[in-house]
Amino acid sequence: MTPAAGLETPEVLAQLGAASAVACVYTFICHAFLPRREFHGSPLYNWLSCLPVQLVAFPAVAAWCVAAYDGSFIEWLSAPWSQLAATPERIFLLLIYAYMFKDLGLYLLNARMDAMYWAHHVGCWIIILQFFFNEAPGIFILGGGVAMELGGAAQTVHLLYADDATLDFVHVATMTLSHVVCCTSAIYYATIPPTPLGARIVIMLLVFKLAQARQSNAMYLHGLYLERRAKRKV
């Protein structure tokens, strides 16, 4: 299977290998300098390490992708690799792949991560890797990358300040909006003909399932917040 991303398969594999190594180094650095106490199924440093990537790196690289495209934002969403600058889009795919891969470094540090998040990561890896081989990476960068991870960042901040009413609202609102954007993007992606129909359907179903699981977890955390608030009022 030949990648559509302007690289041969060995080049893609080499770049994924390099991204994996950098991701583990990032985890080791965070382990060395950030708090290590257990926090919702994994070390606190692992949660904190996500925020710079979610809030700064993903939006910045996505903005680079759009700026480098010779056309409108809407056209960029469905543009094939041949019409893209390609380098920014490849960097985004490598970045989000490495962002997920960094959590494997936990096991080299005798730490772990909750099984629910590993299920999430496997689904994300399937989606990420297929975009090296199929068209229209822009729609994924917006919906599956930037939007979903802004929701993830809102959840992390909520967990850090679990009794803050404003952050609870921001968490639920951001997660919900991110899933609306993501699922809408998946539906739009399913209408883009150059990508094989089977791939479009699989991606759409995976996105729907990921969004449903994430939204259920967000509402569960919101419910816990409401329980704590009710107890404080007694």
Side-chain angles (χ1 to χ4, degrees):
M1 191 174 186
T2 302
L7 299 173
E8 296 299 323
T9 299
E11 293 176 292
V12 172
L13 294 177
Q15 291 188 5
L16 290 172
S20 301
V22 171
C24 288
V25 170
Y26 179 63
T27 295
F28 298 159
I29 292 171
C30 292
H31 170 267
F33 294 102
L34 296 175
R36 303 178 186 177
R37 65 180 175 85
E38 186 77 5
F39 185 77
H40 292 276
S42 66
L44 179 55
Y45 66 79
N46 196 46
W47 291 86
L48 296 175
S49 72
C50 296
L51 292 176
V53 185
Q54 293 168 317
L55 297 175
V56 179
F58 286 150
V61 178
W64 178 26
C65 292
V66 176
Y69 178 66
D70 185 19
S72 71
F73 171 72
I74 297 300
E75 292 171 334
W76 170 77
L77 289 174
S78 58
W81 280 102
S82 61
Q83 295 179 10
L84 297 170
T87 295
E89 285 80 10
R90 284 197 300 267
I91 288 175
F92 190 97
L93 293 180
L94 290 168
L95 177 63
I96 196 167
Y97 164 83
Y99 168 74
M100 303 291 174
F101 194 91
K102 72 179 178 58
D103 296 328
L104 286 174
L106 294 173
Y107 291 88
L108 299 176
L109 297 166
N110 297 316
R112 64 182 182 85
M113 187 173 69
D114 189 87
M116 176 186 71
Y117 291 103
W118 280 121
H120 166 269
H121 280 26
V122 170
C124 289
W125 275 326
I126 292 171
I127 296 171
I128 294 163
L129 293 175
Q130 76 88 30
F131 274 100
F132 280 100
F133 296 89
N134 289 308
E135 302 292 356
I139 195 68
F140 167 73
I141 290 171
L142 171 68
V146 175
M148 289 280 266
E149 291 307 327
L150 285 176
Q155 181 182 96
T156 297
V157 174
H158 166 66
L159 292 174
L160 290 169
Y161 302 97
D163 293 324
D164 186 291
T166 301
L167 292 177
D168 173 70
F169 172 79
V170 170
H171 167 231
V172 173
T174 306
M175 284 292 274
T176 301
L177 181 59
S178 75
H179 297 146
V180 170
V181 172
C182 187
C183 289
T184 302
S185 299
I187 294 170
Y188 178 51
Y189 177 70
T191 69
I192 301 174
T195 302
L197 178 62
R200 285 181 271 158
I201 292 174
V202 169
I203 294 306
M204 185 172 65
L205 293 177
L206 270 174
V207 167
F208 285 175
K209 179 56 184 175
L210 286 168
Q212 178 271 324
R214 285 163 53 99
Q215 188 67 24
S216 295
N217 188 54
M219 300 315 297
Y220 169 73
L221 294 174
H222 175 60
L224 293 180
Y225 163 76
L226 293 177
E227 289 179 9
R228 291 193 301 271
R229 188 179 68 175
K231 289 178 181 177
R232 290 196 300 269
K233 291 182 177 180
V234 174

